[in-house]
Structures are given as C-alpha cells and as structure tokens.
Amino acid sequence: MQKFDAFTGNLAVATAMKQVNPDVCAAYPITPSTDIMMIFSDFVANGEVNTELVTVESEHSAMSACIGAALAGGRVMTATSSAGLAYMWELLGVASGLRCSMIMTCVNRALSAPLNIHCDHSDAMGARDTGWIQIFSENAQEAYDNIIQAVRITEHRDVRLPVMVCLDGFIISHSYEKMQYMEDKDVKDFIGEFKPYRSLLNVDKPETFGAMVLPNYYMEFKRQVREGMENARQVILEIGKEFGDKFGRYYSYFEEYMLEDAEVVFVVMSSAAGTVKHVVNNLRKRGVKAGVLKPRVFRPFPHVEASRVLRNAKFICVLDRAETFGGEGGPLYLEIKSALQTDKNNVPVVSRIFGLGQRDFLPIHVENLYEEIEAFFKTGKIKMFDYVNVRE
Amino acid sequence: MQEKLVLNFKELAQRYEKEVEKFAQGHRLCAGCGAPIALRHMFMAAYPDDVVISNATGCVEVSTTLYPFTSWRVPYIHSAFENAAATIAGAESMYKSLKRQGKINKEIKFVAVAGDGGTYDIGFQALSGAMERRHNILYICYNNEAYMNTGIQRSSATPFGASTTTAPAGKKVPGKLQPRKDLTAIIVEHRPDYVAQASINNPRDFMTKVRKALDKSGPTFINVLAPCPRGWQHPSEETIEMAQLAVDTCIWPLYEVDEGYRWKVNYIPKEKKPVKEWLEKQGRFKHLFSPKYEGLIEEIQKYVDREWEILLKKAEIFS
Ligand SMILES: Cc1ncc(C[n+]2csc(CCOP(=O)(O)OP(=O)(O)O)c2C)c(N)n1
Ligand code: SF4
Ligand SMILES: [Mg+2]
C-alpha cells in the first residue's frame, strides 16, 4: 500500500531516512539541506528511529565520523550542500577508497564566491571524480525513491561505494509537491538487514583500515574503486527494476522523454528537466520532433546506453547547471560528447550553461534555444558554447 | 575522596608477557623514537580491554601501516591528518547505536592517537568537538613538539627558541619566537572526564593515567611527551633522558585533572633543575648558547618558573 501526501524535497528525503532507520547520522547545518537534519532530529528526539545522531562541529568532521561509523559496520547517512560538500572533499576519496557503504544527500547549491545559497550543480560536479556514485533527482518523488534504492546500491557486495543522491536546492528541497510514499514495513523489506563486509568492531579479527600505500600497490586500490563503479552499472539497473516491480515506479540510468524519433534532443538533469519537457510538449504540438534525455545516474556515467538512445538525433543541446571554466563545455556536455564517440556519432552537439546560482530558467529560455537550433538547420551556424539568460 | 588507582605493574607485566604484543615489532619508526614507547605502554595499561584505534597521519601512521604490513594487532583506522577525533567519534557512535539495539554486546574502548600537529593545530577543531559532544573516547597526543613526519616543521606545540625547518634559527631569528600553546589546559576547559599530561620517562605514571582514562565513561585526553631524536637533535639512546629532564626542569610537568576540576601534580622534582640542562642537550636549541642570543635562556627559565607556579597554585586550590 502506498499513500499520497504533500512533501517538500527535504521532507521526502527525511522521510526516506526515517524509514531506512540508519544506525548513525552525522551532519552539519547548511542551507538548503539543513532542513533534512532538522526534521530528522525530531525523529530522533521522539524515538522514532534507532539512530545515533552526531551533531558534529563541521562537515569535515561529519564525513570523518561517517567514515568511522560506516567502517564500524552499520548504516550511515548524512546530508549537505555547497560549501559543506566542498569542505568534505578531502574525505570523499577516503570514503570511496576505504569502500565505505554510506548515503549522502546533496541538496545542490552554488559555490562561493560570490556567496549564493541557491541552486546549481557546481557542488556535486566538484565531487564527480571522487569515487562516489551520483544519482540526480528531478523531484521529491525521485529523491525519496533514490534514497531507498541507494541503500541497496551502496551495500551491494560488488559495489561497496558511497552514494550521493542529489536534488535541486530550493526548487525541489523547499517546494511542496504531491508524492507517493511506501509503508515503513515495505521499505524495511526492500532494503533488508545490513550485513557488514568488514568491521572495526570485529575485535577478534582485527584489521587495519587506511594503510599507507606506496606506488607499488596504490594503483590497484584505485583500480578496484573503478571495478566497484563498473559493477554498480548492473546493480543500479537491477535495483531500479526490482523497485519498479514492487512499487510501480521504474528507474534506470536515465529517463527518455519522447526520444524515440526525436531529432532535436535536449539533455538536462534534475528539476530543469520538467521545464524542458513542458516546452518539448509544445514543440511536439507544432510538429517538431523534440525530446529530452534526462540522465539520472551521473557516476557511473552510462556512455554506451546514452549513445544508443541518441543515435537518431540530428541536433543535441546539453544543458548544464555547472561550469568547467576553460573546459569545452559543461560537465554533462563533456560526458555526452564522449559518449557519442562510442558510436562515432558526429551529430552537432552544443553546450549551454543555465541556472547558475538559481538564475531563472523558464520555458521561454528553452523556446529561445529551440529557435537557435532551428536557425542552425537553415544557416549551419550556432554558438558551440553559451550561457542562458545572462547579462552581457 | 575518590579511590586511588594503583596498578599492580608486576602482575600486569607478567600477564601481558603471555599475550601477543598489540603493537608489533618491525615498524619503521626511527631508533630511539619516543612514540612507540608510549604506544606499547598504552596497550599494556589497556590490557585486557579490547580497543579500537583511530590514528592521524604522522610519523606513527606512516611507519606502522606500510601496506601490506601492519604493526597493529587491534582494529585500526587511519583516515586523514586532522580527523582522528571525528573518526573515532564516528566509530564510537556506531558502537553505541549497535549496543543500544542489542546488535553487539562486547565491551570495546575507543582510542585516538595523533601527533602534536594533528592535535594542537589541524586536528584541534575535531578534537574540541569530540570533547564537547562527550564521546566515550580516549585521545592520546604523542607530543614530539613539531611536525616530524614532514621534516620537522614548527607546530603550536613547539617551544620558544627551538629551531625547526619552518622557524629555523638564523643570523637574525633565534628559531621559534612564540611560546607553545597550552593545549592540555585548553582541553581541561572542555571539562572532559579526565585530562593528563604524561611523559615516556615515567611509564608507571603514564600507564596509570591510561587506565584511569579508559575506566571513565566520557571523553578523556592524555598529552604524552615523546621526544624525537631527529627533530630534537639528541642521540637516539638519550630519548628517555630528554623526557626525564623535561619533567625534572618542569618545562613538561606531569599532572592530571579529574572530573574537570580536581587538579593534581603527579610529580614534583626534589630539586627542580635549571631548564638550561634540558636545552643544552638538544641540537634544536644550540643557537641559544651563542653570544648573539644571550638572555633568551633566562627568558625561557622565567616562563617555565611562572607556568610551574601557576600549576602548583591551581593544584593547591582545586584539589
Ligand atoms: C590536510 C593535510 N595537510 C598536511 C598534511 C601533511 N602532513 C602529514 S603528517 C604532517 C605532520 C604531522 O605532525 P604531527 O601531527 O606532529 O605528527 P608527527 O609526524 O610529528 O609524529 C603533515 C604536515 C596532510 N597529510 N594532510
Ligand atoms: S622523525 Fe622523530 S618522531 Fe618521527 S619516527 Fe623518527 S624519531 Fe620518531
Ligand atoms: Mg609531532
């Protein structure tokens, strides 16, 4: 049985956390993720969870405590945003390198300077190469569902890598929407019991975690992280299917929206996908074969599969809510462009940066983009890289 | 009056001898290094408790965990330089959680081990946080008064006048210009269950302190002086002597603060030696004896006398 109710993104995440009932949570307040831990603290205060809540003095300590707790053999969760994630950065590679199973919600927010508390993806993109699985959510429903699936992914024997579930700051984290949620028992059954692979608390079989490793062995450790990441591909698909079979909402690497015969394809992640889909609907009414590819899993990136679904595209516009300053385009653009190479597909693909610091990204901006593309079909000319809705 | 803890060292030693040493031989710390001496004594005092160790980056860590070898016959984690306290806090929190849920019933102690750099400086915030949150942990700082692992740079534990690679003694500058920060006192201000200063020359005192700390159920902290022949520039075989002179000159007093307010000086030398006797044995203070820097030793002596006097007063008032 599932029920409907109104949830903000943060409430959805906190609710999923409550149902997962982690053994330890360590977190530090930062807008817009603070809410999650505030709501969760109430669950702790009212004895609704078994969680030991560690109200650390910084995000650096939050991630450090999560690592210590995860290796002590239990379920661990945290949440952060922006500067908080940046402050954890040193430990992100420690968490993956030590093969910690844990889940972090990243409520996406811009990085300073200038200071801005609003949404963009520069925080998560700064962590894209740290060995964390990264899953992006379009709305509260997806955030909720992703957290629950993440438990199975991070704890899978063949994966054992930390998972970051991302949702857009304010746009999703603080807006109410109708969402379907499961009963506690069904979540419990889906995630199962936690079985630690190794544990610091196993005093009868002591192990050294985090040894000093010189050039003679270091690279094998990193190769194993890549193996975990590669294994995650199949695991993510299986769990997405199992979740769908149980709860009716199916998940894979990405959502294909009117993609089958699409000639103009927008590639975009998270909440902005909703805006783009809306415009695509209108374009379709006008007879334009437009579609949307909405990646959900950014790490590991599904190159082969993305390339396959883009095979018929005549033009691709990749929308990034993060910069690479000096790179050819945004981070998602770079992935898509290299994905196309797996098929030697030379379809024109452009990079557009939008919504930094939560600059408005409205249907009109997508319509303008389509006009640019339409002009390109006539003139053959278009800017390879540009910002959307920005002052000169 | 609280009960006095008396360890039966003979019995302890006999029992421990039959055990497998928890800190294995064959590590790569320098000959004469003070740190492993402290660690072996710590394990002896902890016996027969099960302990989990979190270790900060530094000489001990790099020299004892060179993959695929390890010197640790107990569960051990090294995560980074500045987070030994937060890491052990996380492990202890998991233990607490699992215990509460009935998923584990063993008694386990949690110990963080870090150098002075990982404690006084970069790890200070994490340590302060862990003390304030009152985790049931023992934090041991093996204090060699500088960042030794990276090549003897000054830390805020480095004493005034010591020459290090980032505050070297030169023609114009006599080494470090600032006195060290009194971290032990700062930790006392967190009011943990137990705080102590110890030194490797006095294993009875140090081991008693470790035992006392482990028997508490809240946060505890021990700052143990562990001379470094490389950084202090003294012969390897004089490590214990350097530690002994540090307590005999009162530049490193042995004291403890129980339950946050009960101060006790554990060692009052019969005859307080001049600090000069400690300084002159170490290459890092050599320049202080040149005519150019005349007067500085007197300054240091004055500082030591004043600090010692304050400590005795505190112990007298809050006993
Ligand atoms: C964040 C970070 N900054 C700097 C370093 C480099 N580093 C490693 S050990 C060390 C000094 C350790 O000094 P201390 O804690 O006193 O231990 P010791 O080596 O003296 O035993 C430094 C600076 C690091 N590993 N991580
Ligand atoms: S450099 Fe000093 S602290 Fe480091 S191992 Fe050698 S003696 Fe010990
Ligand atoms: Mg040191």
Side-chain angles (χ1 to χ4, degrees):
Chain A
M1 258 292 282
Q2 294 188 60
K3 287 182 191 143
F4 281 103
D5 211 336
F7 284 78
T8 63
N10 281 346
L11 181 59
V13 170
T15 305
M17 286 173 73
K18 178 175 127 187
Q19 296 183 310
V20 169
N21 194 4
D23 301 299
V24 170
C25 274
Y28 191 80
I30 181 166
T31 307
S33 70
T34 314
D35 224 13
I36 295 175
M37 293 317 294
M38 276 163 51
I39 301 165
F40 192 77
S41 300
D42 275 341
F43 298 146
V44 175
N46 295 322
E48 292 174 75
V49 287
N50 295 323
T51 311
E52 184 69 26
L53 181 64
V54 194
T55 46
V56 279
E57 79 301 327
S58 72
E59 288 88 353
H60 197 283
S61 286
M63 188 40 60
S64 301
C66 283
I67 291 167
L71 294 177
R75 284 198 168 118
V76 176
M77 287 179 146
T78 186
T80 194
S81 296
S82 181
L85 184 63
Y87 197 19
M88 285 180 183
W89 200 84
E90 179 192 15
L91 284 321
L92 296 178
V94 177
S96 62
L98 293 181
R99 306 307 292 273
C100 292
S101 295
M102 69 167 86
I103 297 164
M104 164 158 53
T105 302
C106 177
V107 182
N108 297 116
R109 163 182 157 181
L111 291 174
S112 287
L115 183 81
N116 173 298
I117 59 167
H118 292 272
C119 176
D120 74 34
H121 291 176
S122 47
D123 50 5
M125 287 305 160
R128 66 169 190 188
D129 299 332
T130 56
W132 281 65
I133 290 165
Q134 290 183 310
I135 303 179
F136 285 77
S137 327
E138 183 183 333
N139 47 38
Q141 183 75 66
E142 288 191 7
Y144 172 83
D145 293 347
N146 283 337
I147 294 277
I148 288 161
Q149 291 171 67
V151 179
R152 294 278 302 278
I153 298 166
T154 189
E155 290 171 12
H156 196 286
R157 265 298 153 93
D158 302 335
V159 178
R160 287 187 294 115
L161 286 174
V163 178
M164 187 184 300
V165 173
C166 299
L167 60 147
D168 281 352
F170 291 108
I171 304 169
I172 299 305
S173 70
H174 284 63
S175 317
Y176 273 97
E177 56 184 277
K178 188 174 151 189
M179 187 192 97
Q180 212 175 3
Y181 65 102
M182 285 87 82
E183 279 179 23
D184 293 357
K185 190 191 158 299
D186 292 336
V187 173
K188 209 174 157 197
D189 287 348
F190 184 79
I191 61 174
E193 276 288 308
F194 180 75
K195 290 180 206 73
Y197 184 70
R198 300 158 77 189
S199 169
L200 271 174
L201 302 186
N202 194 352
V203 286
D204 298 324
K205 190 176 165 287
E207 288 188 71
T208 290
F209 294 82
M212 157 105 169
V213 182
L214 295 182
N216 56 350
Y217 283 107
Y218 180 84
M219 225 161 148
E220 282 72 17
F221 279 83
K222 292 299 155 187
R223 200 207 63 204
Q224 286 179 342
V225 171
R226 177 163 274 266
E227 275 171 22
M229 225 10 131
E230 291 306 318
N231 294 342
R233 294 179 190 279
Q234 189 56 31
V235 170
I236 289 167
L237 284 187
E238 282 168 14
I239 289 167
K241 171 153 191 320
E242 190 186 323
F243 186 90
D245 290 343
K246 284 239 163 65
F247 304 118
R249 293 182 298 277
Y250 286 87
Y251 287 89
S252 84
Y253 297 137
F254 38 69
E255 182 190 338
E256 298 159 56
Y257 190 79
M258 303 201 175
L259 214 50
E260 206 147 309
D261 62 342
E263 290 175 353
V264 174
V265 178
F266 294 98
V267 185
V268 62
M269 297 199 297
S270 300
S271 65
T275 310
V276 182
K277 285 185 224 168
H278 169 77
V279 174
V280 162
N281 288 345
N282 293 340
L283 289 171
R284 284 273 169 179
K285 277 181 208 147
R286 282 164 43 194
V288 178
K289 287 184 178 168
V292 181
L293 175 65
K294 182 191 82 180
R296 165 188 179 238
V297 181
F298 189 77
R299 280 290 179 270
F301 196 83
H303 291 100
V304 177
E305 295 78 3
S307 154
R308 198 168 56 226
V309 297
L310 290 171
R311 210 166 271 168
N312 299 324
K314 298 219 162 54
F315 192 94
I316 300 170
C317 174
V318 186
L319 292 155
D320 269 285
R321 211 187 255 277
E323 250 288 18
T324 58
F325 302 120
E328 195 193 346
L332 182 57
Y333 165 86
L334 297 177
E335 298 295 340
I336 292 295
K337 205 156 180 213
S338 67
L340 293 168
Q341 283 307 302
T342 60
D343 270 344
K344 306 251 177 315
N345 186 344
N346 275 327
V347 57
V349 41
V350 297
S351 174
R352 292 292 180 267
I353 308 292
F354 75 99
L356 298 186
Q358 211 172 321
R359 171 59 53 87
D360 271 350
F361 182 66
L362 306 173
I364 178 80
H365 301 122
V366 188
E367 283 156 19
N368 291 345
L369 282 173
Y370 178 70
E371 273 167 30
E372 279 183 52
I373 296 164
E374 213 175 20
F376 165 79
F377 285 131
K378 291 191 190 113
T379 64
K381 282 192 197 139
I382 191 162
K383 280 188 186 167
M384 295 306 290
F385 175 90
D386 207 0
Y387 271 41
V388 177
N389 189 19
V390 71
R391 291 184 191 86
E392 281 306 316
Chain B
M1 260 302 276
Q2 55 169 347
E3 257 178 71
K4 196 163 179 276
L5 177 76
V6 187
L7 285 186
N8 185 337
F9 287 91
K10 205 170 154 195
E11 193 201 309
L12 193 63
Q14 279 168 355
R15 277 197 300 163
Y16 192 69
E17 221 173 11
K18 295 198 196 83
E19 282 286 303
V20 182
E21 180 96 41
K22 297 293 187 202
F23 186 75
Q25 64 278 34
H27 57 71
R28 291 159 166 82
L29 289 149
C30 300
C33 179
I37 299 173
L39 291 171
R40 292 186 63 198
H41 287 144
M42 173 195 77
F43 277 123
M44 214 183 279
Y47 176 82
D49 288 355
D50 281 316
V51 295
V52 172
I53 301 284
S54 143
N55 186 197
T57 313
C59 271
V60 165
E61 172 262 332
V62 301
S63 310
T64 60
T65 66
L66 189 58
Y67 187 84
F69 304 105
T70 180
S71 299
W72 304 84
R73 292 193 179 114
V74 296
Y76 167 101
I77 176 169
H78 161 257
S79 160
F81 182 21
E82 64 278 51
N83 65 357
T87 306
I88 203 73
E92 183 257 2
S93 299
M94 181 56 76
Y95 171 71
K96 226 190 263 172
S97 178
L98 296 181
K99 202 145 193 226
R100 196 173 51 224
Q101 298 175 58
K103 291 183 181 169
I104 190 167
N105 45 31
K106 264 196 179 330
E107 280 303 316
I108 303 176
K109 308 280 182 190
F110 295 85
V111 181
V113 173
D116 49 289
T119 305
Y120 282 61
D121 294 339
I122 200 165
F124 181 57
Q125 174 182 309
L127 168 61
S128 176
M131 292 285 135
E132 186 270 336
R133 294 191 305 274
R134 306 201 70 79
H135 292 278
N136 186 3
I137 58 168
L138 163 59
Y139 189 108
I140 295 184
C141 170
Y142 66 94
N143 189 344
N144 50 30
E145 302 191 326
Y147 303 156
M148 296 312 179
N149 181 46
T150 36
I152 319 166
Q153 292 85 29
R154 62 92 88 184
S155 78
S156 62
T158 306
F160 175 89
S163 182
T164 56
T165 55
T166 50
K171 291 201 183 95
K172 303 274 187 215
V173 181
K176 194 183 170 202
L177 293 174
Q178 306 81 13
R180 68 169 162 238
K181 140 166 122 191
D182 189 353
L183 184 79
T184 312
I186 294 168
I187 298 303
V188 172
E189 297 305 320
H190 289 69
R191 303 284 180 265
D193 283 6
Y194 184 75
V195 181
Q197 248 181 218
S199 171
I200 55 157
N201 71 290
N202 193 337
R204 271 172 183 273
D205 176 73
F206 175 55
M207 286 167 67
T208 307
K209 286 170 173 170
V210 170
R211 191 65 257 170
K212 270 190 191 175
L214 289 175
D215 287 344
K216 302 284 186 189
S217 51
T220 55
F221 174 84
I222 299 176
N223 197 346
V224 56
L225 191 70
C228 157
R230 292 274 297 108
W232 293 21
Q233 297 169 49
H234 59 73
S236 298
E237 63 275 20
E238 287 176 17
T239 296
I240 301 295
E241 192 183 335
M242 281 322 117
Q244 180 75 51
L245 277 170
V247 300
D248 283 336
T249 56
C250 298
I251 195 164
W252 188 259
L254 304 186
Y255 70 96
E256 64 189 351
V257 184
D258 205 3
E259 303 297 338
Y261 68 95
R262 233 182 257 130
W263 291 66
K264 182 171 183 208
V265 179
N266 306 103
Y267 176 76
I268 299 178
K270 284 201 187 72
E271 216 174 302
K272 184 162 164 264
K273 290 188 172 160
V275 74
K276 185 166 161 284
E277 289 189 26
W278 184 64
L279 301 173
E280 71 191 1
K281 292 242 156 69
Q282 302 171 50
R284 62 177 174 158
F285 296 117
K286 192 172 65 204
H287 54 285
L288 298 180
F289 294 86
S290 74
K292 193 167 52 218
Y293 293 129
E294 222 189 288
L296 289 184
I297 294 174
E298 285 71 49
E299 293 279 316
I300 297 173
Q301 186 65 58
K302 266 191 230 155
Y303 173 80
V304 171
D305 292 345
R306 195 185 68 210
E307 292 294 311
W308 177 242
E309 198 183 324
I310 293 172
L311 177 66
L312 292 177
K313 269 265 147 50
K314 277 183 184 166
E316 195 186 304
I317 300 168
F318 308 106
S319 59

